[in-house]
Amino acid sequence: MVSHPSEMDLNVAEPNPRAFRKSSTWPQVPPHEALRFCRQFLVDLLSRNPAPDTPPAGAQGVDVVDLVRHLTTNSRMAEATLTGPPPRLQKRLAGLNLKELLVEWERSGTVVERALRHSHGLAGSLLVTDVFTHELDIRRALGTAV
């Protein structure tokens, strides 16, 4: 029978180092590789849209173009933080259509991945989480099961 400690035995001020110990035997994927995979998957998925200048029909109010604009903006902010300001675009991101956003995201994402390749710690982890989360949003909006 498993015994449960009483409330008196628990000290919330003391950290439990065992709770954060890595227990997976799977090799960790570096953030720059995870970013590349997720970005390339989404760019490929959205490039197959028959009319990339037209926003894909989204479910439940999700605007796929706005999500790609958000991901591209985050990539450009990371690029500026890691390597300096990105090159000026002829148009602001707000004026770009889906096809143009995907091209800019590819350019910026490649710069960010290159900069993250030699970084350590949590650098890039937030970007990976954001891209993966919005990948799920975009798949749901497009009705993509895979």
Side-chain angles (χ1 to χ4, degrees), residues 4-93:
H4 297 284
S6 70
E7 287 183 37
M8 301 277 249
D9 295 336
L10 296 177
N11 184 349
V12 293
E14 293 297 319
N16 179 357
R18 291 178 298 193
F20 299 103
R21 204 173 283 162
K22 181 182 172 191
S23 60
S24 174
T25 58
W26 291 23
Q28 288 185 329
V29 176
H32 71 277
E33 289 181 24
L35 276 172
R36 183 183 68 242
F37 179 81
C38 288
R39 189 190 74 251
Q40 287 176 340
F41 177 84
L42 280 173
V43 168
D44 181 56
L45 175 69
L46 293 168
S47 295
R48 287 182 279 163
N49 180 26
D53 291 341
T54 307
Q60 301 182 1
V62 174
D63 186 334
V64 174
V65 175
D66 280 346
L67 286 174
V68 174
R69 187 173 292 110
H70 164 76
L71 293 169
T72 305
T73 299
N74 286 352
S75 183
R76 293 185 81 206
M77 287 177 14
E79 178 183 358
T81 300
L82 294 166
T83 66
R88 288 183 64 101
L89 291 176
Q90 292 178 353
K91 297 185 213 174
R92 294 180 40 197
L93 291 181

